[in-house]
Amino acid sequence: MISQRENRIRIWLLIALTGLVFGAVLWAQSPSQPTGATEAPPPPLVVRIYYQDIREIQELQSLDLWEYNNLEERYVLASVNAALYRSLVEQGWRVAIDHTASAQLSHSFDRAAEFFGGYRSVNELYALLESIDQAAPQLTEIIEYGPSHCLTEGGCTTPGGDNWPGVPLRAIRVTNEAISGASSINGGTVTRGEKPIFFLMAGIHSREITTPELAVWLLETLINNYGTNADITWLVDYHEIWIVPTTNPDGHWLVELGAEKKYGGLPFYHRKNANNDVNADGSADCPVWPPSSYEQYGIDLNRNHSFGWGPPGSSDQPCNMTYRGPYAASEHEVAALESLVRALFPDRRGPLDNDPAPVDTTGIFITLHSFSNLVLWPWGNSESPAPNVDDLKAIGDKLATYNGYLSCQPSRCLYLTNGSSDDWAYGELGIPAFTFEVGNEFMPPYVEIDSRQWPDNGPALLYAARIARAPYLLAHGPDVLNLSVSADGEQLLATAIVDDTQNGGDAIGSARYSIDIPPWQDGAQQLPLQPVDGVFNDPEEAVEATLDVADMEPGQHILYVEGQDAGGNWGPVSAAFFTVEDIGTDDNLVITFSKAALDHLAVPGRMLSYRIDGSLITPESGPLYTFRITDQPPAELTIMPETIFVNGVSRPELYNPGTHSLHYEITGAYTEPISVSITFSATVAESATIGALLVNQAMAEGSINTGAPLFLTASDSVLVAPAVTHFYLPIAVNE
Ligand SMILES: [Zn+2]
């Protein structure tokens, strides 16, 4: 190809310069690094290959094009050796060394016992699946869905004499098995269930070692937050999240092998599987060893799928980085994966390229790759739009709002790919399927998983799970954010923001909730939430509803809220846990309480005495308690502070003239029953109405630990009598 001939003179000048640098680097190192079965090859470099029209990239298919395309400056990255470099130059390409990316090839990390500064080996990934499955047997199920290539061969031996027995291909299903509708797993056989499925696969390109980590981080997030995070709880209860941490374990092992001392301590950039003899004739298809970052043996499994298999987006050369294999789905890793996915998802798309899947298609599929910060959607093998392109784009654009990536069809932002996983899942079954190109390099320091890759992609993956019930529909509807439930007197108030700004920007039309039964289940009672500002008219609306909890059982409940835009699109559910307190009873707490006036006649201007007795008893010892007694007499009575005694001890400070009340409170660690006796006197106002009944009410409140308080009230009443205490009875005088 030469589409840049007009620039040839200038390019040659540039090449002459960069070629000199490249040559000096390469040749200077060659004499000190003789080639041999146990020696690493001279370090390759990464170059930028500039293009004018994105279609020109197809002519670079024989190279190790990285999954990166700089659309602004119009270049792709490829790892090359000196011969490839010269060949590019001779063909007229403008080529420049990318020093940053080249340096990434020879990263050295602080390597602990782990395979590469924290990245997990295949064996460690598998051990993690087992430990999670043992810790959460009701939520997880491991399935071995087939053998790796090396396992079927009875083991693989590299030209360097390294042995690897191969492993079963492992997926893990996350769902609450106690809730009906799950798929059934019988050995290696799976039968479809009714729960919507989010299928996440990683590591099909084994050198993309951040991707298995993200997959198991999602797994751990689901398991560790089940039961405490309401959203994760409903996702796991009513969905299946299938995770395949590495769909290419043999290849992953080859990556690990490079980290061994005899190979120089740096992981091999092995991308493909470990099959080097596709016709089983005993001779190697590709003689290259060890695997370099630009040529290696094996089949590119992400070019081997049975949909769209073939050129132009793949190679027929065994050493090529995109070698597609001898025929579609020739590789065990691909054939077994396709069988598993077919068993889990119904086929919702017709046979023609232009047959759309129905909009209510259930399930979603994501395959994790690296790198270049992209969210890709079908078709990968064509510039034509997929029949569901509007909905695929809407989902991809939405996912990209979480990780900040560019959402696009590969022909517009990367290059054509044939036989890839996402094209297969969508093309064959109609499942909305996406490729994430994660991050900025294949093997960043492990801390970047925590600091960047998971924060970027974890929320995107969880969103995919949230819409798995009907992705083509739900991605158009608003999110429900900041959902919370708070006490509002004896009611509970639910508040949330319904937000369509990232889902089309339509005005919000309505919002509704259900309690304990999610909205798609039979028996769910749907009730509206109201706009706080009185009218639904903005793309972002605060909503609220008072929840009637009178008839609810005490304990934890879950609130489901969903919003709808003015166009009628419902978004995914958000949920929050809340607790209904049983106010008024506490099995562990007994309060007794009484109040009595010592004289039942109040006399204006005189004094009246009271006695309050209370006790707090709990059969348990040790918990913290709080015990309060409050007395607020009617207006005709004024407590005399100097007369207040608690258990015989003067406590004048308990009277607060500002509130006209007596308040006694003790807290502490409970060891013995608490008894309190309070005596005090009050002055009766001169203006007290003769004949009135003064009701004097006190309240006691106790609680233990942080449990619900128990309230009691006690009253006594006195009759206001005339201010006469002596009556002179007329007597007869006999004179
Ligand atoms: Zn990849």
Side-chain angles (χ1 to χ4, degrees):
M1 72 87 14
I2 303 288
S3 60
Q4 297 158 297
R5 283 189 196 280
E6 67 281 11
N7 293 328
R8 196 151 189 183
I9 302 298
R10 187 162 57 81
I11 290 166
W12 272 106
L13 288 172
L14 178 71
I15 293 314
L17 191 62
T18 55
L20 194 65
V21 172
F22 180 89
V25 170
L26 192 71
W27 310 132
Q29 292 184 353
S30 295
S32 61
Q33 297 205 356
T35 54
T38 59
E39 288 291 338
L45 292 181
V46 181
V47 293
R48 300 176 175 183
I49 307 169
Y50 290 87
Y51 60 85
Q52 291 185 329
D53 183 322
I54 197 166
R55 292 182 178 86
E56 295 166 15
I57 300 170
Q58 288 317 308
E59 301 176 45
L60 295 166
Q61 196 61 58
S62 66
L63 291 174
D64 175 24
L65 281 188
W66 289 9
E67 291 159 22
Y68 179 87
N69 187 340
N70 189 314
L71 296 174
E72 285 180 10
E73 298 179 46
R74 295 193 196 176
Y75 66 83
V76 290
L77 292 179
S79 176
V80 296
N81 63 0
L84 288 167
Y85 187 94
R86 275 194 295 272
S87 157
L88 281 169
V89 169
E90 283 163 13
Q91 290 172 58
W93 291 94
R94 181 186 159 208
V95 187
I97 296 172
D98 188 312
H99 293 284
T100 304
S102 297
Q104 288 171 5
L105 283 177
S106 54
H107 261 321
S108 64
F109 292 112
D110 179 21
R111 290 191 292 118
E114 305 92 341
F115 121 73
F116 200 55
Y119 289 99
R120 274 165 271 225
S121 64
V122 172
N123 288 334
E124 287 168 333
L125 288 167
Y126 277 25
L128 178 68
L129 296 188
E130 281 164 26
S131 68
I132 287 176
D133 186 45
Q134 281 164 18
Q138 287 301 307
L139 301 181
T140 55
E141 201 73 46
I142 293 174
I143 178 170
E144 297 187 341
Y145 63 91
S148 73
H149 166 78
C150 290
L151 189 60
T152 62
E153 296 293 308
C156 289
T157 302
T158 70
D162 314 282
N163 294 303
W164 168 247
V167 287
L169 302 166
R170 275 191 178 171
I172 190 165
R173 182 191 70 182
V174 181
T175 193
N176 181 354
E177 294 160 20
I179 292 183
S180 65
S183 56
S184 71
I185 296 175
N186 198 340
T189 307
V190 177
T191 307
R192 185 179 308 134
E194 290 155 14
K195 295 184 180 182
I197 293 173
F198 169 30
F199 194 95
L200 179 69
M201 58 176 276
I204 195 169
H205 286 152
S206 44
R207 67 185 176 185
E208 299 164 8
I209 60 175
T210 58
T211 66
E213 294 296 332
L214 289 174
V216 296
W217 279 51
L218 176 67
L219 172 62
E220 291 182 312
T221 298
L222 294 171
I223 300 304
N224 293 342
N225 294 284
Y226 179 81
T228 53
N229 178 295
D231 283 313
I232 283 177
T233 303
W234 69 259
L235 287 174
V236 172
D237 278 345
Y238 299 102
H239 295 68
E240 297 186 13
I241 296 98
W242 283 75
I243 297 172
V244 190
T246 172
T247 45
N248 180 11
D250 292 349
H252 198 282
W253 172 75
L254 279 166
V255 174
E256 295 166 36
L257 189 62
E260 289 191 4
K261 206 170 180 178
K262 71 171 181 174
Y263 287 117
L266 295 175
F268 287 143
Y269 270 44
H270 194 85
R271 162 185 170 101
K272 303 188 285 177
N273 75 350
N275 185 359
N276 196 20
D277 186 8
V278 298
N279 58 3
D281 66 355
S283 67
D285 299 335
C286 168
V288 169
W289 181 259
S292 81
S293 60
Y294 54 88
E295 59 179 355
Q296 56 188 232
Y297 66 69
I299 286 87
D300 182 348
L301 300 177
N302 201 41
R303 300 294 184 278
N304 187 244
H305 280 283
S306 58
F307 185 90
W309 182 87
S314 64
S315 168
D316 59 0
Q317 297 299 307
C319 292
N320 192 281
M321 300 302 273
T322 59
Y323 176 45
R324 70 179 78 103
Y327 53 90
S330 61
E331 301 310 294
H332 290 289
E333 290 87 353
V334 168
L337 184 74
E338 291 186 0
S339 293
L340 175 64
V341 176
R342 268 201 199 92
L344 289 170
F345 294 86
D347 183 1
R348 300 297 308 274
R349 210 182 74 81
L352 303 177
D353 279 358
N354 286 328
D355 289 336
V359 292
D360 65 353
T361 295
T362 288
I364 189 165
F365 179 103
I366 293 178
T367 176
L368 296 177
H369 285 252
S370 65
F371 59 91
S372 68
N373 302 327
L374 297 173
V375 173
L376 303 172
W377 27 270
W379 303 117
N381 71 335
S382 164
E383 294 177 19
S384 306
N388 293 91
V389 63
D390 291 345
D391 296 335
L392 289 167
K393 180 180 187 310
I395 300 167
D397 289 356
K398 175 65 181 182
L399 292 170
T401 64
Y402 293 99
N403 53 24
Y405 294 177
L406 178 66
S407 159
C408 55
Q409 188 174 346
S411 63
R412 303 286 176 85
C413 62
L414 193 58
Y415 41 74
L416 292 182
T417 56
N418 279 70
S420 65
S421 311
D422 52 351
D423 266 13
W424 176 81
Y426 171 72
E428 185 74 21
L429 302 172
I431 316 165
F434 302 86
T435 294
F436 284 12
E437 293 284 358
V438 171
N440 292 315
E441 53 182 306
F442 291 127
M443 301 182 187
Y446 189 77
V447 291
E448 200 180 279
I449 306 290
D450 189 20
S451 67
R452 171 152 185 205
Q453 308 309 347
W454 176 256
D456 281 355
N457 290 289
L461 298 176
L462 288 170
Y463 180 80
R466 298 167 83 97
I467 62 171
R469 183 163 296 280
Y472 292 134
L473 295 170
L474 291 171
H476 295 285
D479 295 313
V480 174
L481 308 174
N482 302 345
L483 177 61
S484 77
V485 181
S486 56
D488 180 18
E490 291 187 356
Q491 307 274 24
L492 289 176
L493 183 69
T495 57
I497 306 293
V498 184
D499 184 346
D500 201 63
T501 58
Q502 303 299 322
N503 306 76
D506 301 314
I508 302 305
S510 66
R512 65 189 181 188
Y513 73 91
S514 63
I515 292 173
D516 292 335
I517 302 175
W520 57 82
Q521 295 279 105
D522 288 345
Q525 189 189 0
Q526 305 272 20
L527 293 165
L529 292 103
Q530 305 302 332
V532 171
D533 65 5
V535 56
F536 280 120
N537 56 357
D538 292 321
E540 198 175 352
E541 288 280 359
V543 296
E544 64 181 12
T546 298
L547 310 179
D548 182 3
V549 297
D551 297 330
M552 278 189 220
E553 290 292 313
Q556 180 174 276
H557 294 264
I558 185 167
L559 172 73
Y560 300 97
V561 176
E562 48 189 348
Q564 186 185 40
D565 69 18
N569 302 299
W570 287 101
V573 159
S574 287
F577 284 128
F578 64 95
T579 303
V580 173
E581 302 280 4
D582 190 3
I583 297 169
T585 64
D586 184 329
D587 293 343
N588 294 319
L589 180 67
V590 178
I591 296 179
T592 59
F593 181 59
S594 66
K595 178 174 183 179
L598 300 185
D599 182 339
H600 279 77
L601 286 179
V603 179
R606 300 266 174 90
M607 199 174 76
L608 188 67
S609 295
Y610 285 92
R611 179 185 172 104
I612 300 174
D613 288 310
S615 70
L616 180 146
I617 301 168
T618 163
E620 297 172 10
S621 64
L624 295 172
Y625 69 85
T626 301
F627 188 38
R628 300 186 191 94
I629 293 172
T630 305
D631 190 291
Q632 186 146 22
E636 291 86 351
L637 301 180
T638 303
I639 292 173
M640 302 163 69
E642 67 277 12
T643 66
I644 302 173
F645 285 81
V646 178
N647 292 343
V649 178
S650 175
R651 298 287 303 275
E653 78 282 3
L654 297 180
Y655 179 66
N656 182 343
T659 63
H660 188 56
S661 69
L662 179 158
H663 183 81
Y664 169 79
E665 176 169 326
I666 48 172
T667 59
Y670 181 91
T671 51
E672 300 282 333
I674 294 153
S675 289
V676 176
S677 179
I678 302 174
T679 59
F680 67 94
S681 299
T683 328
V684 183
E686 295 281 6
S687 57
T689 308
I690 305 297
L693 201 60
L694 301 183
V695 178
N696 189 357
Q697 192 169 69
M699 185 177 79
E701 176 187 346
S703 67
I704 56 170
N705 290 319
T706 54
L710 180 66
F711 299 99
L712 289 177
T713 56
S715 305
D716 202 356
S717 57
V718 292
L719 178 69
V720 180
V724 175
T725 53
H726 297 90
F727 293 87
Y728 297 92
L729 298 178
I731 55 172
V733 178
N734 292 322
E735 292 276 343

